Amino acid sequence: QVQLVDSGGGLVQAGGSLRLSCAASGRTFSYYTMGWFRQAPGKEREFVASISWSSGTTYYADSVKGRFTISRDNANYMVYLQMNSLKPEDTAVYYCAAKWVVGDGYYFGAREYDYWGQGTQVTVSS
């Protein structure tokens, strides 16, 4: 089984930065894609970024491309989301997620993921 604990959210001013962390535990992550999603009040949970645990292949939503960077630490079983140039519209609860996969791919639907962190709040003030 896989357990995910996400953290690192907080209150920042527009233009600032935050780094979210996701601590993963389980037998292996070689066959998982790790993703970050976010959900603002009254809105659908939306894809932010993903990374293949084995290959490191990344995907980003257009809204965060060039500002956010997803990465993983294979040795410590961590996945990160570095968020720079934050905007008020980035305000949301951010969730780390994991999906079991056979091969690399672009998995952007929340319903496709098998495991979820508890969420961490990111608030960006104007």
Side-chain angles (χ1 to χ4, degrees):
Q1 300 298 319
V2 174
Q3 288 186 304
L4 306 174
V5 179
D6 39 29
S7 61
L11 174 64
V12 298
Q13 294 183 349
S17 298
L18 282 174
R19 189 180 75 163
L20 305 184
S21 300
C22 178
S25 62
R27 294 181 181 273
T28 180
F29 293 94
S30 297
Y31 303 104
Y32 284 86
T33 285
M34 308 297 294
W36 285 99
F37 290 77
R38 66 187 183 186
Q39 187 167 23
K43 296 185 178 181
E44 293 276 323
R45 187 169 299 186
E46 67 171 340
F47 172 81
V48 176
S50 67
I51 185 168
S52 168
W53 193 268
S54 59
S55 72
T57 301
T58 60
Y59 297 92
Y60 295 93
D62 288 342
S63 59
V64 306
K65 195 173 299 181
R67 299 188 297 122
F68 291 10
T69 302
I70 188 171
S71 61
R72 86 272 197 251
D73 182 339
N74 288 358
N76 294 301
Y77 299 98
M78 299 285 291
V79 61
Y80 304 99
L81 185 69
Q82 179 65 47
M83 305 185 295
N84 299 326
S85 302
L86 283 162
K87 304 174 181 179
E89 51 262 44
D90 295 318
T91 296
V93 177
Y94 284 70
Y95 297 89
C96 179
K99 172 179 171 56
W100 192 94
V101 297
V102 175
D104 293 347
Y106 176 33
Y107 305 102
F108 58 88
R111 65 182 181 179
E112 298 180 277
Y113 285 75
D114 303 297
Y115 302 96
W116 293 87
Q118 79 284 359
T120 184
Q121 175 70 232
V122 172
T123 303
V124 184
S125 62
S126 59

